[in-house]
Amino acid sequence: MSWKVGRNDPCPCGSGKKYKKCCGLVGDIRNASLDPFARYNELLTEVKLKLDRYFASSMKRLRRDNLQSFLYYTVNHTLPPEHESLYSDWLWFDRVSPDNPSYAELYLQENTAFMEGPLRECLQNLCDSSLSIYQVVESQDMMLQVRDLFTGENQEVLLKEPWQGSADHPVLILGRLVRIEQGYLFSGMVLLSEDNDGQQAEFLKAHYEYCQQLGLYPAGLPAEVNYGLFDHAHKKKLFSLRDMRSAGVDEGTARDVQNRLAQLEQFELAHCTEDIAWFVPRREHYGYVRIAVGPDFVAAAADVLDDVAFLQEQMTALLPQVKMDLVHSTMQRSFPPADKASIWLAIMKDQQAEIWLDTAHRELEGKTPRQLLEEKEGRERLLDMLGEFSASVQSQDQQEFINFMKARVESVGNP
């Protein structure tokens, strides 16, 4: 036996309105306007209003708890007020984890039996949509042809008004395309960025290919990654990948690699600490870039994509038959494998040590530890200071780092 909702009954979607004033209006929306853009835009708006109402009691918590995940890859980790609708669409229509449905999918599961066909179809299309980056190909009247920057697929997008851009000024669009009968429609706001020299597109494609080579996100980049990469490209900021890779080797191979690196003009020995030799490129590089050779492993770590590619070329030349396994990447957002945890920790300690060595300290009269090491008895003074720090901390992790810093300072010595 089926149950039919009466026009004067409360709408099952939970809005608090009568059915005829809520979901029952959807049939009218489909026929209310001859303008396809206005017709489908009203459907999109109605769907989002229903989601807002349905999750109203938990809305504040949802927005607070998920915001940092959305901003994880951005430059400043802040959400401009004008980007609120982008965040809302991500919150409703994208899965925070692959194993759990999105909030819109939950709504659809619980209310599909009571929804009019047009509204249900619109919501399903939104659930199937994704945020991506597009290049403008051409425009005609109210249609815009765009090409997905990563997949190369062309799509016809219905506009509210004719496109004002020109072929002389290439534009990248960050937006969410939703399927409609005539093609696609952008859901909510879009972000535009002029790319006259093509460097932004190259930057974005290179990072997409990086993810593909690592086997990350085979179904396409998540919305938060696209949003963060677009933010970096638009602001012309380098993206920190924190790429770490390693390979297990025997003692003889490790010794051979260390000797060959010491002879290469492209590298210089930075220091030897706790049985690990650390090499740094002589060429210009950005952020932290190292090759580490331990008793039974070789590792490479770099922040930006150009340096990651350079190190991989060098490692292939040094160890042509050895596969370097991924230890960590910002794109992965997960802890390293258990068998790689010690290598990850060694790199992290060395990276933090470099930051500490180049940070001015009040205890050192505003000098950096590296500057102090150039002075007579500077090493002894640093070791005394680290000893005082060690006596005041109780955390085992902090103690391990201080012990590493002591070994690091002792390895530098006086010039």
Side-chain angles (χ1 to χ4, degrees):
M1 179 178 179
S2 61
W3 175 61
K4 184 174 178 62
V5 183
R7 287 178 55 79
N8 291 312
D9 291 338
C11 190
C13 77
S15 67
K17 296 182 179 180
K18 290 183 178 181
Y19 178 70
K20 66 181 181 181
K21 296 292 187 180
C22 192
C23 290
L25 283 172
V26 176
D28 297 333
I29 291 175
R30 289 278 289 191
N31 302 312
S33 172
L34 296 177
D35 178 6
F37 180 92
R39 187 162 67 244
Y40 284 101
N41 194 56
E42 286 187 52
L43 278 173
L44 293 172
T45 301
E46 185 64 24
V47 164
K48 294 176 184 181
L49 285 173
K50 287 183 180 300
L51 291 171
D52 281 339
R53 296 186 193 115
Y54 193 74
F55 294 101
S57 62
S58 54
M59 172 72 71
K60 187 175 182 179
R61 175 185 59 80
L62 291 177
R63 298 189 72 84
R64 182 192 66 234
D65 293 351
N66 292 284
L67 182 59
Q68 291 311 307
S69 291
F70 182 67
L71 299 174
Y72 185 81
Y73 297 100
T74 58
V75 175
N76 299 319
H77 305 291
T78 56
L79 183 70
E82 61 271 21
H83 293 186
E84 284 286 345
S85 65
L86 279 173
Y87 176 49
S88 293
D89 277 10
W90 174 83
L91 189 64
W92 298 139
F93 308 119
D94 289 277
R95 296 184 176 188
V96 177
S97 66
D99 299 329
N100 296 314
S102 67
Y103 291 109
E105 288 171 329
L106 286 174
Y107 180 93
L108 193 59
Q109 292 171 10
E110 296 171 7
N111 295 281
T112 186
F114 312 114
M115 297 177 70
E116 293 287 337
L119 196 67
R120 183 172 59 249
E121 179 184 350
C122 178
L123 181 53
Q124 183 61 64
N125 289 341
L126 279 165
C127 291
D128 295 338
S129 69
S130 60
L131 188 71
S132 193
I133 302 171
Y134 302 91
Q135 292 174 307
V136 175
V137 178
E138 61 180 3
S139 62
Q140 184 176 6
D141 298 328
M142 311 300 285
M143 298 298 294
L144 181 70
Q145 186 178 109
V146 299
R147 178 176 297 121
D148 191 296
L149 189 66
F150 305 132
T151 67
E153 296 180 4
N154 284 7
Q155 306 292 0
E156 297 285 343
V157 183
L158 182 63
L159 300 177
K160 182 179 181 180
E161 54 190 27
W163 178 255
Q164 300 298 320
S166 69
D168 297 333
H169 299 282
V171 172
L172 296 177
I173 302 177
L174 175 75
R176 179 182 297 271
L177 286 183
V178 183
R179 182 179 292 277
I180 60 174
E181 290 179 2
Q182 286 85 354
Y184 286 86
L185 193 73
F186 278 116
S187 169
M189 74 169 297
V190 299
L191 300 183
L192 305 179
S193 183
E194 288 192 4
D195 188 27
N196 295 328
D197 57 9
Q199 290 187 5
Q200 292 184 44
E202 290 181 9
F203 170 90
L204 293 165
K205 287 179 180 178
H207 285 78
Y208 172 77
E209 291 171 2
Y210 167 85
C211 289
Q212 295 301 296
Q213 290 167 0
L214 292 178
L216 303 175
Y217 313 122
L221 298 183
E224 62 271 21
V225 175
N226 279 321
Y227 180 62
L229 286 175
F230 189 88
D231 188 42
H232 278 79
H234 179 68
K235 294 175 180 175
K236 295 180 169 54
K237 297 290 186 179
L238 294 173
F239 189 91
S240 179
L241 292 167
R242 296 184 180 176
D243 184 283
M244 304 178 192
R245 308 188 194 196
S246 72
V249 296
D250 57 44
E251 187 176 350
T253 301
R255 190 182 309 113
D256 178 64
V257 170
Q258 183 173 334
N259 291 335
R260 290 172 63 187
L261 281 168
Q263 296 171 9
L264 289 176
E265 293 183 359
Q266 297 98 315
F267 292 92
E268 62 179 326
L269 180 65
H271 63 93
C272 288
T273 306
E274 295 184 343
D275 296 326
I276 301 176
W278 300 85
F279 293 86
V280 61
R282 294 182 188 273
R283 74 168 201 166
E284 183 180 9
H285 55 275
Y286 303 92
Y288 182 81
V289 185
R290 293 290 187 277
I291 289 180
V293 184
D296 58 358
F297 74 89
V298 178
D303 283 341
V304 303
L305 194 53
D306 284 348
D307 293 327
V308 171
F310 170 73
L311 289 190
Q312 294 312 301
E313 290 175 2
Q314 300 303 312
M315 296 311 302
T316 299
L318 288 165
L319 296 167
Q321 305 301 322
V322 178
K323 180 180 180 296
M324 299 287 287
D325 296 321
L326 185 68
V327 175
H328 174 75
S329 169
T330 300
M331 290 295 191
Q332 204 171 23
R333 287 191 69 177
S334 62
F335 291 107
D339 61 335
K340 305 290 184 183
S342 60
I343 296 173
W344 174 84
L345 182 59
I347 294 173
M348 290 299 296
K349 286 193 297 185
D350 187 66
Q351 188 176 30
Q352 292 302 311
E354 289 298 313
I355 295 173
W356 183 80
L357 285 167
D358 291 318
T359 300
H361 295 270
R362 183 182 58 186
E363 297 88 348
L364 304 178
E365 294 82 39
K367 298 177 183 178
T368 69
R370 203 182 300 276
Q371 290 172 331
L372 194 65
L373 283 168
E374 297 176 356
E375 299 179 3
K376 185 179 180 180
E377 298 182 354
R379 179 174 65 173
E380 288 72 17
R381 184 176 175 186
L382 282 177
L383 290 173
D384 289 342
M385 184 176 74
L386 289 170
E388 293 176 3
F389 288 165
S390 179
S392 64
V393 301
Q394 297 180 346
S395 166
Q396 183 177 351
D397 291 341
Q398 289 179 317
Q399 286 288 357
E400 288 183 5
F401 180 68
I402 292 174
N403 290 337
F404 178 82
M405 284 306 311
K406 289 179 180 179
R408 180 75 175 84
V409 169
E410 288 173 345
S411 71
V412 175
N414 288 319

